[in-house]
Every structure is written in C-alpha cells, then in structure tokens.
Amino acid sequence: MASPSTSRLADALPPLVAGFVTVLVSYAGTAAILFQACKALGASPAQTGSLMWAMGIGCGLTCIGLSLRWKMPVVTSWSTPGAAVLAISASGVPLDQAVGGFLLCALLLAVAGFSGAFERLFERVPLSLAAAMLGGVLLRFCVDAFAAIQLQPALVLAMLAAWLLARLRWPRYAVILSLATGTAVAAAGAQLHAGQLQLALAQPQSTSPGFGLASVFSVALPLFVVTMASQNVPGMAVGRACGYRLPASSAVGWTGLATLLLAPFGGFAFNLAAITAAISMGPDAHRDPDRRYLAAVWTGVFYLLAGVFGATVVALFSAFPHELVAAIAGIALLPTFANAMAGALAQEREREAAIVTFLVTASGLSVAGVGAAFWGLVAGIVVHFVRPRRG
C-alpha cells in the first residue's frame, strides 16, 4: 500500500510535467514564427524581447486565472496563425499602426466572447465532429513521434521503451520517465544545445498605438478572423471532445481583455489553445478529470517564467533536440488521440461526417489563411446535415 507522501507525489508530479511539456511544445513549435512576425513589423531586438515577455505573461495569467476560477483545464496560447498572417500581410506596416491593429483585434475578440455569440454558434456542432477534428489535429503529432525514429533512432526508441515499460508498472509516471530518458540520452550524446544560455530578465517596452487603414485591413481583421477560426474554434472543440464544457465565450472574452492590456507591449492576440490544451486535458495529466485543471495552472506558471526571463527561456526550450520534442509531444498526446477517435466513431449515423472532418483536418488544408481544423468542421457539418435520413 502506497504511503501518503508517495500518493501526494503521484498526484502532484504528473500535472507539473504536463504543464512543462505543454509550454515546451508551444515554444519549440512556434517561437520561430513569432520572430518572423517581429522581423516583418520592423521590431527592434528590445521590442522583440518585449513581445516575448507579453506573450508569456498573457498566457500565464489567463491559464492560471481561468483554470482556478472554473476548476477546469483552460489552456490559452498566442495566435500562431495570427503570427503567420502578421509575417506576411503586415510586412511593412509601421509598428505603431500594428499595435493599433492589435487593440482593434482585442476589442473584436472581447465583443465576440462576452456577447455569447461564439458559444451559441458552437453549441450546434455535434460532439462526434468535435472529437474527429481533435483527432485530425493530433494525428500529425502522434505520427511525428514515430517518424522521428528515422532521424534519431537511439533517442526516440529509448523514449518509447521507457514510456511502454512505465505504462506496465508506473502508468502515472510514463510521460515523466519518457521525458527524463530522452533528456538523459540527448545529454549523453551531446545533443542538448545549452551552451548559449544566459540568465536575463525581459524588459517590457511600450509602443504608442497608431491607427489607419493598414491597422484595420492588414492587421486587425485578418488577425481576428484567423484567431477565431483557426484557434478558438478548435480550442473549444478540444475541450468538448475531452469532456469539459468550458464557458468558451467568457474565456474568449477574457483573452480579448488580456490582448487589450498587453497589445502596447507586443501582445498581438491570445486565444484558447487546441493542441497544447489536449496535453493538460488527457489522462496522463492527472488520474482524476476534476483535478486536471492543475496541469493548466502549472502551464500558466511555466508561461510566466518564460515571459519574465524572455529570450533565456526560449533558448532553454530550443536547447532540446527537435526529435525529442516531437517524440514527447506525440507520446503525451497518444491517450487523448485514442479517446478522440473513439468519440468520433461512437455514433454510427455520424461516422461519415466524422471521418470527413478527420480527413480534412489531417490534410493540412489552408484556405484564405484559415487552417484545416476550421475547414474540417465545416466539411463535417455539411456532410452531417445532407446525409440520407434513414428510418
């Protein structure tokens, strides 16, 4: 029989590791896009550091505040498609007008959220389609975990072996032991690139907003559309597919307010997370679904640290080999992916629509700057409502 201290550790450690993995995957996958957006806007190194500070602080405060308020795992992130849009459509826009666009986008997000319109619209989406969309989003990450074997066989196979053996004996620690094994193997092979790490606090720097046509049409409107369609809609679907009925409209409204406060410092758009949220909502985050909000709280703590220490933390996350990040992301998401596919195919009369949703989402289709997750839901809804009605 486990001692009380061992039991407390078993409950406390998985959420902490889930939070760390969430932020690791977030920065490792999107930091480069953030830097490209800063370059397109002509931001100085100091202004780029301020943007990284704002992103970490905004995500950290919203993750912690909303998760504690609702006792549900609420994971937020910055708008990765939005950063890609800024890197393209906002190239050459003066930084002050870009900040003005961030403020306008923030107002649109707050209105869309607090008005309740977003949640009323999403309530019409069948749960099986939400689960299928989640499966399509996660497919690439789970596949990449095994594809990484080809590039780093010793590293990834050691991580998979540690995960598999731990599932048999210590299932609560499977992801933890896999990450520890990968880190040890990478360190032994001199694959951890931590030589350039220097501890330094980020320095927030405010930019006065300017307003013009570029603020509206090159920044605010494209940023709002892709954030809602490619981030908030999938984020809402992930929560539903994992069994959490998040007060999504209110959450979107709060991310809009966070954007409003941090826009002068570079916080261009915050939103509900999708892929990284699934890590904190899965069974490996905590054995008790009612306690998985702790993983989102730890996610917020690590985001705050990333914001406070800015480029230092980005360099820390970048020190991990790409294959290690791909492997641990796929391993952490495997149980959630399995549950999503089970939910997608549970209702026989909705399977065709669910499969279409899954395939379109997994295809990576992008139209008008809006990602495949949104178009997968659209395609699935169309099939759902035009399917033959059998007696």
Side-chain angles (χ1 to χ4, degrees), residues 119-156:
E119 196 161 1
R120 287 195 298 272
L121 179 63
F122 195 84
E123 285 297 326
R124 300 179 178 272
V125 177
L127 181 58
S128 62
L129 302 193
M133 188 226 70
L134 174 59
V137 168
L138 300 185
L139 176 65
R140 177 171 61 87
F141 290 85
C142 294
V143 169
D144 285 350
F146 296 95
I149 295 173
Q150 191 168 8
L151 298 175
Q152 292 279 2
L155 172 67
V156 180

Side-chain angles (χ1 to χ4, degrees), residues 24-25 28-29 159 317 320-330:
L24 169 64
V25 172
M159 294 176 68
F317 289 135
F320 288 94
H322 172 75
E323 291 76 17
L324 185 152
V325 176
I328 198 61

Side-chain angles (χ1 to χ4, degrees), residues 10 39 288 390:
K39 183 178 179 180
D288 182 358
R390 298 181 177 90

